[in-house]
Amino acid sequence: MQLQAANRELESFSYSVSHDLRAPLRGIDGFSLALLEDYQDKLDDTGRNYLERIRKATRRWGFSSTIC
């Protein structure tokens, strides 16, 4: 019984953390995309690489912006 209760609490906590991270990660993804699109001609390869890595990390967490 205690193990089941602990598992339920852990599931609830995991859901809460995941839910709380959605908006900030969507924002990070969206701003990264905006930088890539709006400043593409001003970014060097390193800058583009950093932004792509940021976007890849947010997608790995399952959050992706649909901003075009």
Side-chain angles (χ1 to χ4, degrees):
M1 285 297 219
Q2 286 180 327
L3 181 59
Q4 289 174 341
N7 280 336
R8 281 192 300 272
E9 284 183 39
L10 185 57
E11 286 175 14
S12 177
F13 174 75
S14 295
Y15 175 82
S16 295
V17 169
S18 174
H19 182 73
D20 290 348
L21 287 175
R22 288 177 194 254
L25 286 172
R26 263 195 311 268
I28 291 168
D29 184 53
F31 282 116
S32 298
L33 178 60
L35 286 169
L36 282 168
E37 291 178 349
D38 296 347
Y39 295 92
Q40 183 175 8
D41 57 334
K42 293 178 175 67
L43 292 168
D44 63 7
D45 288 340
T46 301
R48 279 190 293 280
N49 179 269
Y50 287 161
L51 289 169
E52 288 295 342
R53 289 170 56 189
I54 290 168
R55 297 203 68 228
K56 184 178 178 181
T58 60
R59 287 191 299 271
R60 189 171 45 241
W61 273 75
F63 307 101
S64 164
S65 178
T66 56
I67 297 172
C68 294

